[in-house]
């Protein structure tokens, strides 16, 4: 079934990768593929998190995505949808905005002056916990970076890490936005290049370093957080339905790239 988006109101979701078209219709958000198979990356990651301890061991949750056919600007497009997780009176506050508001200084500049990944990680995690009263924020941030490391999400900039605000209180933001993972941007990471070569080019945000190094910096401070119980059977099952939304000629390449990413990173991070 194709969802027809009748609103003319487009929201350009700014990221370091570009502007992704995103709409809210009722209580559902829709996002379009921009440079490749971002929707698949969102859906696949959320399905893998079903096999993790994210909600079992923490007061955290994650966004569930589903694939969609979307009729936009008179043309059928591939994208994904997710429920609006904000409750009445809540808003999303990014860490970039939060630190600007509470310290009066750009967070990126503060972090850039620090001399090690460990110092940057500790400042980001512990100052956020102090400002918000969210005592488990160091664990939340570690978990977030571990998931990013697993799926090679290289777009976790400081406007892509957030907390929820309501009046004068804060809460943990559901874990979301993995569309830049799994080499989904085929403009920057062409299909004809072997995944192993592409993975070596990637840098983790926001520390602008290797994924393993960023994860280990957090784990050395706060301990490992993420546990996943999935094997190749679950990986293939999670890919099966999303792959149906892409051209048959591309399916083997996408499948092989995604499975290669997961296997590479699981081995490196284990």
């Amino acid at each position: 079934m194709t969802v027809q988006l009748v609103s003319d109101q487009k929201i350009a979701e700014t990221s370091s990768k570009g502007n992704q078209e995103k709409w809210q219709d009722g209580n559902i958000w829709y996002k379009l593929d921009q440079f490749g198979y971002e929707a698949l990356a969102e859906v696949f990651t959320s399905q893998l998190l079903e096999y993790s301890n994210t909600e079992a061991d923490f007061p955290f949750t994650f966004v569930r995505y589903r694939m969609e056919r979307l009729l936009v600007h008179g043309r059928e497009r591939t994208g994904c949808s997710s429920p609006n997780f904000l409750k009445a009176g809540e808003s999303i506050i990014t860490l970039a905005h939060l630190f600007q508001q509470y310290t009066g200084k750009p967070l990126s500049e503060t972090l850039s002056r620090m001399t090690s990944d460990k110092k940057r990680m500790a400042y980001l995690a512990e100052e956020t916990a102090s400002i918000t009263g969210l005592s488990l924020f160091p664990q939340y941030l570690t978990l977030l970076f571990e998931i990013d490391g697993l799926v090679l999400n290289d777009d976790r900039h400081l406007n892509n890490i957030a907390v929820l605000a309501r009046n004068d209180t804060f809460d943990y933001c559901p874990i979301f936005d993995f569309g830049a993972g799994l080499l989904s941007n085929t403009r920057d990471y062409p299909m004809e290049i072997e995944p192993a070569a592409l993975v070596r080019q990637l840098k983790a945000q926001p520390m602008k370093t290797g994924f393993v190094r960023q994860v280990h910096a957090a784990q050395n401070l706060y301990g490992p957080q993420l546990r996943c119980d999935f094997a190749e059977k679950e990986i293939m099952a999670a890919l099966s339905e999303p792959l149906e939304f892409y051209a048959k000629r591309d399916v083997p390449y996408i499948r092989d790239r995604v499975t290669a990413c997961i296997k590479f990173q699981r081995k490196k991070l284990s």
Side-chain angles (χ1 to χ4, degrees):
M1 185 179 108
T2 301
V3 176
Q4 183 169 0
L5 297 180
V6 297
S7 172
D8 290 329
Q9 296 181 358
K10 178 181 77 173
I11 296 175
E13 185 182 66
T14 301
S15 80
S16 62
K17 296 293 181 180
N19 291 329
Q20 185 173 11
E21 292 188 63
K22 180 177 180 178
W23 285 263
Q24 184 177 13
D25 186 13
N27 204 39
I28 303 294
W29 281 100
Y30 296 92
K31 289 199 292 187
L32 297 180
D33 278 353
Q34 181 183 13
F35 298 124
Y37 50 90
E38 294 96 333
L40 180 146
E42 297 277 28
V43 172
F44 177 77
T45 302
S46 68
Q47 291 192 21
L48 285 191
L49 290 178
E50 299 286 0
Y51 299 100
S52 77
N53 63 326
T54 300
E55 294 182 337
D57 292 350
F58 305 102
F60 314 144
T61 188
F62 60 90
V63 174
R64 271 78 173 177
Y65 293 90
R66 57 175 288 174
M67 298 296 300
E68 300 282 1
R69 297 278 191 210
L70 303 169
L71 187 61
V72 183
H73 310 316
R75 188 160 68 93
E76 189 170 85
R77 301 275 299 276
T78 297
C80 62
S81 64
S82 59
N84 178 21
F85 54 74
L86 290 177
K87 300 173 183 176
E90 282 186 338
S91 59
I92 296 176
I93 307 295
T94 70
L95 294 200
H97 179 77
L98 182 77
F99 277 75
Q100 182 69 50
Q101 180 181 349
Y102 278 83
T103 70
K105 301 175 184 177
L107 177 55
S108 58
E109 292 183 11
T110 301
L111 294 176
S112 69
R113 290 196 295 269
M114 295 181 179
T115 56
S116 70
D117 290 338
K118 184 176 180 180
K119 290 179 180 178
R120 285 186 281 271
M121 190 70 67
Y123 179 81
L124 193 62
E126 293 168 23
E127 284 300 307
T128 303
S130 177
I131 291 169
T132 62
L134 299 174
S135 61
L136 293 178
F137 194 83
Q139 288 75 18
Y140 173 92
L141 194 64
T142 302
L143 180 71
L144 184 63
F145 289 160
E146 288 171 329
I147 300 169
D148 282 338
L150 178 64
V151 300
L152 292 164
N153 176 28
D154 63 348
D155 198 33
R156 189 66 64 189
H157 49 83
L158 296 171
N159 277 306
N160 210 356
I161 308 172
V163 295
L164 300 180
R166 183 176 184 179
N167 298 326
D168 295 325
T169 63
F170 296 93
D171 202 353
Y172 301 100
C173 187
I175 294 171
F176 72 109
D177 205 350
F178 295 95
L182 302 166
L183 301 175
S184 68
N185 185 335
T186 58
R187 180 192 65 172
D188 290 349
Y189 312 122
M191 288 280 204
E192 61 269 20
I193 299 179
E194 285 294 318
L198 294 169
V199 168
R200 288 193 289 270
Q201 301 176 22
L202 299 178
K203 293 292 183 183
Q205 301 292 336
M207 301 299 169
K208 300 180 176 62
T209 187
F211 281 97
V212 173
R213 183 171 174 175
Q214 178 165 284
V215 168
H216 286 171
Q219 289 178 336
N220 288 340
L221 287 165
Y222 309 113
Q225 306 299 320
L226 179 67
R227 295 198 317 275
C228 291
D229 185 21
F230 60 80
E232 187 163 354
K233 176 183 176 183
E234 286 75 26
I235 293 172
M236 292 306 172
L239 276 173
S240 178
E241 190 258 351
L243 284 172
E244 295 176 4
F245 285 74
Y246 296 90
K248 288 185 178 180
R249 69 178 183 275
D250 294 332
V251 165
Y253 296 100
I254 297 173
R255 183 184 59 239
D256 290 351
R257 280 158 66 101
V258 170
T259 54
C261 287
I262 294 297
K263 288 176 182 177
F264 289 158
Q265 293 307 105
R266 208 172 188 188
K267 184 176 181 180
K268 289 179 184 177
L269 296 170
S270 62

